[in-house]
C-alpha cells in the first residue's frame, strides 16, 4: 500500500505517520526529515536546502522530486511507503504520478488558529521524532518514549511558521482538490484530542482500503 499524508504544518502529520507506518509495515519517507538530515551533515543538498527551510519556503521542485524519485527505487519501498511532506504543490504531484502509483491520500484538516501555538510550542525528539508541546512538558528535556533529547526546530518560530502556513495555503491546499478528483482522498479532522483518537479513525479507513487492494 502506497500512501500520501497531507495536512498543514502542525496538523499532527508526524505522529500519525509513525503510527500508520508501524501498523501497515510501510517505509516512512519524510522530505522534511531528509532535508534536516542533509543540513545536519553539511551535504551539498543540505547547504542548498537550508536557505529555503530557514525562511519557510519550498526547496526547488527539481531537487525535491529527484530525491523522492531516487528514494522510491530503494528495495525497502517494495513493502509499501508513506510519503509525508511530499508532494507539496501541483508540480510535485504531477511528477509523482509519472513514477509512482498511489493507493490513498490521508488528509488531516485542522483549524489554522491552532497551528501557530502548536508549532511555536513544539519540541521534537532528536532520536525517534516524537513531538510534544512545551506546555505539557513541565520542564522535561528528554523524550518520554525513548529518552532522546528534545529540541526546537529552527523553523518553528512565529515568522517562519507564518511563511510556512502561507505556502501551505497557496501551494499545498490545492492538492486536496487534485486527489479528490482522482477519488483517492480520505479526509479527517485534526483536533486537540490525543493523537490516538484520530488514529482510530485513520485505522478504520486504511484497514478498509487495504482490503480492496
Ligand atoms: P516539514 O518537516 O515537512 O515541515 O518540512 C520542513 C521544510 O523542508 C519545509 O518548510 C521546506 O522548506 C522543506 N520541504 C519539505 N518537504 C518539501 C517538499 N516536498 N518540497 C519542497 N520543500 C520541502
Amino acid at each position: 500500500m502506497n500512501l500520501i499524508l497531507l495536512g498543514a504544518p502542525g496538523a499532527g502529520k508526524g505522529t500519525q505517520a509513525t503510527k500508520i507506518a508501524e501498523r501497515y509495515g510501510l517505509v516512512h519517507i519524510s522530505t522534511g526529515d531528509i532535508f534536516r538530515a542533509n543540513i545536519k551533515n553539511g551535504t551539498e543538498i543540505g547547504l542548498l536546502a537550508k536557505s529555503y527551510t530557514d525562511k519557510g519556503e519550498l526547496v526547488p521542485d527539481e531537487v525535491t522530486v529527484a530525491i523522492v524519485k531516487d528514494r522510491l527505487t530503494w528495495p525497502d519501498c517494495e513493502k509499501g511507503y508513506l510519503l509525508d511532506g511530499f508532494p507539496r504543490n501541483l508540480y510535485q504531484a504531477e511528477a509523482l504520478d509519472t513514477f509512482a502509483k498511489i493507493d490513498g491520500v490521508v488528509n488531516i484538516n485542522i483549524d489554522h488558529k491552532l497551528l501557530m501555538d502548536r508549532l511555536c510550542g513544539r519540541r521534537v525528539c532528536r532520536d525517534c521524532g516524537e513531538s510534544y508541546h512545551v506546555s505539557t512538558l513541565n520542564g522535561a528535556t528528554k523524550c518520554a518514549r525513548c529518552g532522546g533529547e528534545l529540541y526546537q526546530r529552527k523553523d518553528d518560530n512565529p515568522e517562519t511558521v507564518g511563511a510556512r502556513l502561507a505556502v501551505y495555503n497557496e501551494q499545498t491546499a490545492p492538492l486536496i482538490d487534485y486527489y479528490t478528483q482522482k477519488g483517492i482522498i480520505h479526509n479527517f479532522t485534526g483536533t486537540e484530542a490525543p493523537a490516538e483518537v484520530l488514529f482510530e479513525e485513520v485505522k478504520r479507513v486504511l484497514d478498509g482500503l487495504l482490503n480492496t487492494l
Side-chain angles (χ1 to χ4, degrees):
M1 180 161 69
N2 300 333
L3 301 174
I4 291 171
L5 190 53
L6 206 58
K13 290 196 300 295
T15 311
Q16 296 302 319
T18 311
K19 292 176 182 295
I20 294 170
E22 194 177 22
R23 176 171 175 91
Y24 300 99
L26 308 178
V27 187
H28 175 199
I29 301 172
S30 154
T31 40
D33 284 350
I34 292 174
F35 288 130
R36 278 183 289 278
N38 275 279
I39 291 169
K40 194 172 162 211
N41 295 329
T43 68
E44 206 177 315
I45 286 173
L47 287 177
L48 172 101
K50 192 172 182 328
S51 56
Y52 297 94
T53 58
D54 277 356
K55 287 185 283 192
E57 293 171 5
L58 295 185
V59 177
D61 289 332
E62 312 80 73
V63 178
T64 311
V65 168
I67 289 172
V68 174
K69 188 174 180 182
D70 172 73
R71 182 63 186 85
L72 296 188
T73 64
W74 294 20
D76 59 349
C77 288
E78 278 167 24
K79 61 184 179 182
Y81 50 81
L82 173 68
L83 291 172
D84 169 9
F86 182 94
R88 275 294 226 277
N89 58 27
L90 278 172
Y91 178 92
Q92 294 181 7
E94 284 169 0
L96 180 66
D97 283 341
T98 67
F99 57 82
K101 189 194 162 296
I102 301 300
D103 301 303
V105 177
V106 171
N107 176 41
I108 307 178
N109 288 306
I110 190 156
D111 182 349
H112 281 206
K113 280 188 285 230
L114 290 175
L115 297 178
M116 184 60 82
D117 172 64
R118 265 202 185 184
L119 288 167
C120 294
R122 176 162 72 175
R123 299 293 182 273
V124 185
C125 173
R126 258 190 220 291
D127 295 340
C128 76
E130 181 78 347
S131 41
Y132 299 87
H133 193 273
V134 73
S135 62
T136 64
L137 283 171
N138 292 323
T141 56
K142 302 279 186 224
C143 175
R145 195 166 153 216
C146 77
E149 183 203 356
L150 301 181
Y151 79 108
Q152 180 171 29
R153 275 173 49 168
K154 201 158 175 260
D155 56 353
D156 281 346
N157 65 74
E159 200 191 348
T160 313
V161 166
R164 285 158 66 204
L165 293 177
V167 167
Y168 171 80
N169 287 330
E170 283 158 26
Q171 302 201 41
T172 313
L175 296 183
I176 297 174
D177 267 356
Y178 182 81
Y179 289 115
T180 302
Q181 277 165 29
K182 286 183 179 288
I184 58 169
I185 201 162
H186 304 277
N187 293 299
F188 300 89
T189 304
T191 64
E192 286 174 281
E196 287 72 27
V197 177
L198 174 57
F199 185 59
E200 282 305 311
E201 279 180 54
V202 171
K203 207 161 66 177
R204 198 157 11 94
V205 170
L206 292 183
D207 282 357
L209 174 64
L210 194 58
N211 280 331
T212 66
L213 298 179

